[in-house]
Amino acid sequence: MAIIALVSAKGSPGVTTSALACALTWHRRLVLAECDPAGGSILAGYLGGQLDGPRGLGELAVGELRDGNLETAFWSQLVDLDAPRRERLLLPGLVDPAQGGSVTPLWQRFADYFDALDRGTPGYDVLVDCGRLHVNGPPWPVLRAASVVLLVTRAHLPDLSGTRVVVTAIERDFAEHRVPPGTLRLLLVGDGHGRAEISRALKLPVIARLPQDPRTAGVLALGGTVRAGRPLMRAAGALEVPIGALLERRRARLAWPVQQGVPDAV
């Protein structure tokens, strides 16, 4: 599947919570990368800060700027969320938002490397938490490289108003950089307006809706035991199916002209 990116408009609609819930229920090998320029929260929250020494995106960026050693340093900066299987790995985000200046010039480098992970041995999908779009130094190259971009929003009018602006900004940028159509989808969080109503208003398909589940969201934010049977975890686990179906349709559509030119077998 390569890169699946999550991004939001404003406020705190649950991008990191949604990304972490998906990562903990994903069926394929996965790297969850916290690429929010405002800073990561999983290391201090869900993992309770229980790691020896600094690790993550900031350390990787410093090493890349100094030595250009991304390929060799990348795996040492990951945290195994399902140790020791190394099937669900986390690249923790920035500890200090002031580090954002060192990361901004490297977004394209990271995007290219994430894209290559799907073709490695073994291959990994990359789920990227891009945070809010309207911050300094947003990871535009990562969004452009993504196979699917999920715009996370709550389903109430104030949130949808801000989301409309971001939809316009992303679609304009994607058109300028020739990102394949159909990359952007809405991911709704919690109660509010209906899926069909929101899709019509924003002129963008809704891929899924994650339920309001404060108990599970609290565990994902602050640590504790994640229960697979909770509503949020069940819905997050099911999200892999429509994402996979979307990618299959896109692959088939892109391959169609080539297939049309192949002569019939004798």
Side-chain angles (χ1 to χ4, degrees), residues 4-52:
I4 301 99
L6 288 83
V7 66
S8 71
K10 64 177 183 178
S12 181
V15 175
T16 301
T17 300
S18 301
L20 182 55
C22 288
L24 295 175
T25 55
W26 210 252
H27 294 92
R28 290 162 50 98
R29 289 186 179 89
L30 177 86
V31 173
L32 170 57
E34 284 193 287
C35 293
D36 184 348
S41 59
I42 296 176
L43 191 60
Y46 177 68
L47 296 178
Q50 298 179 7
L51 285 181
D52 296 329

Side-chain angles (χ1 to χ4, degrees), residues 96-157:
D96 183 353
Q99 296 175 313
S102 64
V103 176
T104 299
L106 296 174
W107 285 135
Q108 186 61 60
R109 178 79 170 100
F110 288 139
D112 294 340
Y113 187 78
F114 292 162
D115 186 56
L117 288 178
D118 181 56
R119 300 186 295 274
T121 305
Y124 282 84
D125 294 334
V126 184
L127 193 65
V128 188
D129 174 1
C130 293
R132 293 172 297 162
L133 189 64
H134 293 315
V135 295
N136 292 328
W140 277 111
V142 177
L143 294 171
R144 295 166 193 149
S147 300
V148 178
V149 175
L150 303 180
L151 180 52
V152 183
T153 181
R154 297 194 186 279
H156 298 288
L157 188 57

Side-chain angles (χ1 to χ4, degrees), residues 154-157 160 188-195 197-198 209:
R154 297 194 186 279
H156 298 288
L157 188 57
L160 296 172
L188 305 181
V189 176
D191 301 326
H193 293 282
R195 289 177 55 163
E197 180 185 6
I198 292 172
R209 186 177 211 135

